[in-house]
Amino acid sequence: GAGVSQSPSNKVTEKGKDVELRCDPISGHTALYWYRQSLGQGLEFLIYFQGNSAPDKSGLPSDRFSAERTGGSVSTLTIQRTQQEDSAVYLCASSPGGAGYTFGSGTRLTVV
Amino acid sequence: LAKTTQPISMDSYEGQEVNITCSHNNIATNDYITWYQQFPSQGPRFIIQGYKTKVTNEVASLFIPADRKSSTLSLPRVSLSDTAVYYCLVGDNNNAGNMLTFGGGTRLMVKP
């Protein structure tokens, strides 16, 4: 597609439920990133996929967080047993391998 | 990863030139300097990238001194719509994984 697409744009979930966030990167972009941004804060790196290499999971805050990237394209970020502190905007970005990230508009997650 | 330091916030008035400086004392030989702009409720947007001296595009200019330990993003004649957070990143352009860390950014407020 023309840009990075994320869905849903907004998600409200009850504490303890699992959620899945989806990212469709720009076609042909080999690198895909997930970030988290709390209100008024900077971006917190979560996970990075590059081609067929093992993902860099060093930013995942707990084992409740996981992500997959199928076929080198679409990625899903899963948060299990959500907690209120998980409430944030989750941003996905892709790049062709260099530094020019293109970000999606994010998924605003609210855990109540 | 080269760490970056930016002012937390800056104020300006419409029509003025704004210069935001980023310090990156530990920049490596292969590292590029990249700036992003983020509006509220949107993902960051690539503005400009450079390696040394000066780079100019339709949006901004980037000035990089010979020692490359800092860089200055210059926004000519800002308008109210330039109010945003500006992030400076440093990393190897050929290794997207080295561009993972966004600092807190500089919150620019343009006043009428």
Side-chain angles (χ1 to χ4, degrees):
Chain A
V4 177
S5 177
Q6 291 188 245
S7 60
S9 55
N10 283 284
K11 176 71 175 179
V12 179
T13 190
E14 292 181 350
K15 178 181 174 181
K17 294 287 181 66
D18 297 353
V19 295
E20 286 190 351
L21 312 179
R22 177 186 169 103
C23 173
D24 282 279
I26 292 175
S27 178
H29 279 194
T30 58
L32 185 148
Y33 313 78
W34 283 98
Y35 288 85
R36 177 169 72 173
Q37 188 170 36
S38 300
L39 186 63
Q41 302 298 309
L43 281 76
E44 175 189 4
F45 164 72
L46 297 177
I47 188 168
Y48 156 58
F49 297 88
Q50 173 61 59
N52 296 321
S53 302
D56 177 349
K57 304 179 181 180
S58 60
L60 294 178
S62 78
D63 58 9
R64 296 186 295 105
F65 288 72
S66 63
E68 292 184 340
R69 188 180 185 190
T70 55
S73 181
V74 172
S75 178
T76 302
L77 177 69
T78 301
I79 309 173
Q80 295 178 310
R81 305 180 302 282
T82 51
Q83 304 294 313
Q84 287 184 330
E85 61 263 27
D86 299 334
S87 295
V89 175
Y90 289 81
L91 290 160
C92 174
S94 70
S95 84
Y101 297 176
T102 301
F103 280 84
S105 297
T107 294
R108 182 175 300 276
L109 175 67
T110 304
V111 181
V112 298
Chain B
L1 296 178
K3 181 180 176 181
T4 60
T5 304
Q6 306 174 234
I8 294 173
S9 64
M10 294 180 69
D11 289 344
S12 183
Y13 291 92
E14 283 190 291
Q16 290 188 332
E17 178 184 81
V18 170
N19 296 307
I20 306 174
T21 297
C22 178
S23 297
H24 26 79
N25 291 318
N26 296 324
I27 189 168
T29 302
N30 293 333
D31 286 346
Y32 280 71
I33 301 153
T34 310
W35 285 79
Y36 287 81
Q37 174 191 56
Q38 186 178 27
F39 297 114
S41 302
Q42 295 185 26
R45 181 176 72 104
F46 172 90
I47 301 177
I48 197 166
Q49 183 182 77
Y51 184 80
K52 62 180 179 179
T53 62
K54 176 183 174 182
V55 179
T56 298
N57 62 23
E58 64 277 8
V59 176
S61 294
L62 180 60
F63 297 93
I64 305 167
D67 65 6
R68 304 202 324 124
K69 292 183 183 299
S70 67
S71 59
T72 299
L73 175 73
S74 181
L75 304 173
R77 299 179 299 281
V78 294
S79 63
L80 296 177
S81 62
D82 292 316
T83 293
V85 178
Y86 292 83
Y87 295 96
C88 164
L89 276 76
V90 173
D92 186 343
N93 210 33
N94 293 315
N95 183 351
N98 281 342
M99 283 279 192
L100 298 174
T101 303
F102 283 72
T106 298
R107 190 172 299 274
L108 173 65
M109 174 68 72
V110 179
K111 303 175 182 179

